[in-house]
């Protein structure tokens, strides 16, 4: 089982729709969760971080975390063609564990296309 | 606002050559990370520094790879005797006391 799994996509939505991106993780002691956006040929850009169960909203983006289900999602409202990119889910395991340090473990990413 | 910078942005080398990459983190960040990303995959952790101390190394980091962070500022990643399988994007990230990591633009390595 992969440590962080995402729907590989590609996911295609029309402009103005809600895009829903999902991620599951295997390590129950994971504490911090991040969504990064990556345009083709570019480096990952941080969109959202979430640490507690529930929803966190930032503009058109909402991150949702459910630690009991080991599930984190990202909703993009009013999707725009400029949102077309690969979205990476990243998990930071408990910093107290000697073997994990502060590393981020990434999923393979979900490619999103927003059609005008 | 100065973000994470990396140099060079692109490197083409022949198999067997040594290469060195540089990363300059955000100035107040004491933590620095190296990741490697191949096409269609998420970034994979290579190594982590807190100040000048290298606290963690991935099993991915063979003994051909070495990283340093003298004086706890910039960092270098050296790959000796490069192989075609080393072709990838090498990403540097930095963070402050929180665990939010910010990435540099990356160095794309092509080994011929």
């Amino acid at each position: 089982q992969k440590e962080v799994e995402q729907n590989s996509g590609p996911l295609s939505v029309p402009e103005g729709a809600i895009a829903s991106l999902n991620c599951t993780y295997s390590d129950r002691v994971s504490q911090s969760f991040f969504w990064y956006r990556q345009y083709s040929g570019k480096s990952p850009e941080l969109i959202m971080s979430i640490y507690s169960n529930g929803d966190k909203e930032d503009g058109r983006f909402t991150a949702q975390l459910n630690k009991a289900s080991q599930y984190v999602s990202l909703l993009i409202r009013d999707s725009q063609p400029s949102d077309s990119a690969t979205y990476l889910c990243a998990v930071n395991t408990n910093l107290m564990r000697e073997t994990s340090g502060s590393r981020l473990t990434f999923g393979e990413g979900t490619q999103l296309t927003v059609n005008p | 606002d100065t973000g994470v910078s990396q140099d060079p942005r692109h490197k083409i080398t022949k198999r067997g050559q040594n290469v060195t990459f540089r990363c300059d983190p955000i100035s107040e960040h004491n933590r620095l990370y190296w990741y490697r990303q191949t096409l269609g995959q998420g970034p994979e952790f290579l190594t982590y520094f807190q100040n000048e101390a290298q606290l963690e190394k991935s099993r991915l980091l063979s003994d051909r790879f070495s990283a340093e962070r003298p004086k706890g500022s910039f960092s270098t990643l050296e790959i000796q005797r490069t192989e075609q399988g080393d072709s990838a994007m090498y990403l540097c990230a930095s963070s402050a006391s929180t665990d939010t990591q910010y990435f540099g633009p990356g160095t794309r390595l092509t080994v011929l």
Side-chain angles (χ1 to χ4, degrees):
Chain A
Q1 181 185 8
K2 293 181 180 177
E3 292 183 65
V4 179
E5 291 202 54
Q6 297 183 245
N7 294 338
S8 60
L11 174 65
S12 182
V13 300
E15 184 174 356
I18 296 175
S20 177
L21 304 159
N22 304 316
C23 173
T24 58
Y25 59 94
S26 61
D27 193 335
R28 288 192 169 275
V29 300
S30 297
Q31 296 292 317
S32 311
F33 307 87
F34 304 88
W35 284 99
Y36 287 84
R37 176 175 63 197
Q38 187 171 29
Y39 292 112
S40 180
K42 302 296 186 182
S43 64
E45 173 192 8
L46 180 70
I47 299 175
M48 297 278 288
S49 60
I50 187 165
Y51 303 91
S52 304
N53 282 328
D55 295 358
K56 179 181 178 182
E57 188 174 319
D58 184 0
R60 296 186 296 111
F61 299 97
T62 299
Q64 299 174 319
L65 175 62
N66 183 327
K67 290 187 178 180
S69 300
Q70 296 174 239
Y71 175 89
V72 59
S73 66
L74 180 70
L75 299 177
I76 307 174
R77 290 182 301 281
D78 188 23
S79 296
Q80 301 296 308
S82 59
D83 294 326
S84 298
T86 295
Y87 289 80
L88 296 163
C89 173
V91 175
N92 191 333
T93 308
N94 191 329
L95 298 180
M96 297 300 292
R97 297 178 71 182
E98 291 183 9
T99 56
S100 61
S102 288
R103 69 168 68 187
L104 289 178
T105 301
F106 285 83
E108 292 185 350
T110 298
Q111 186 177 343
L112 171 66
T113 300
V114 180
N115 300 304
Chain B
D1 179 24
T2 305
V4 179
S5 61
Q6 292 187 245
D7 184 70
R9 298 290 302 277
H10 303 273
K11 179 69 177 180
I12 300 174
T13 191
K14 293 182 179 179
R15 189 176 53 188
Q17 298 295 305
N18 299 343
V19 295
T20 300
F21 309 142
R22 176 178 170 128
C23 171
D24 287 87
I26 294 171
S27 58
E28 64 270 23
H29 286 184
N30 63 339
R31 300 178 180 183
L32 187 148
Y33 313 81
W34 287 98
Y35 293 84
R36 179 173 67 187
Q37 186 177 26
T38 54
L39 197 62
Q41 302 296 313
E44 294 177 298
F45 172 81
L46 293 178
T47 191
Y48 154 60
F49 291 86
Q50 185 162 319
N51 300 312
E52 66 276 8
Q54 188 174 19
L55 297 186
E56 188 176 4
K57 292 171 62 174
S58 166
R59 288 187 297 273
L60 292 175
L61 213 65
S62 77
D63 46 11
R64 295 186 298 106
F65 288 69
S66 62
E68 294 182 341
R69 193 183 182 197
K71 303 178 184 177
S73 55
F74 72 91
S75 175
T76 58
L77 177 68
E78 181 182 17
I79 309 174
Q80 296 183 329
R81 305 182 302 282
T82 52
E83 301 173 356
Q84 288 186 325
D86 297 330
S87 296
M89 174 80 88
Y90 289 83
L91 294 162
C92 177
S94 71
S95 71
S97 56
T98 66
D99 54 2
T100 302
Q101 297 181 24
Y102 298 91
F103 284 84
T107 295
R108 183 167 296 282
L109 173 66
T110 301
V111 181
L112 302 176

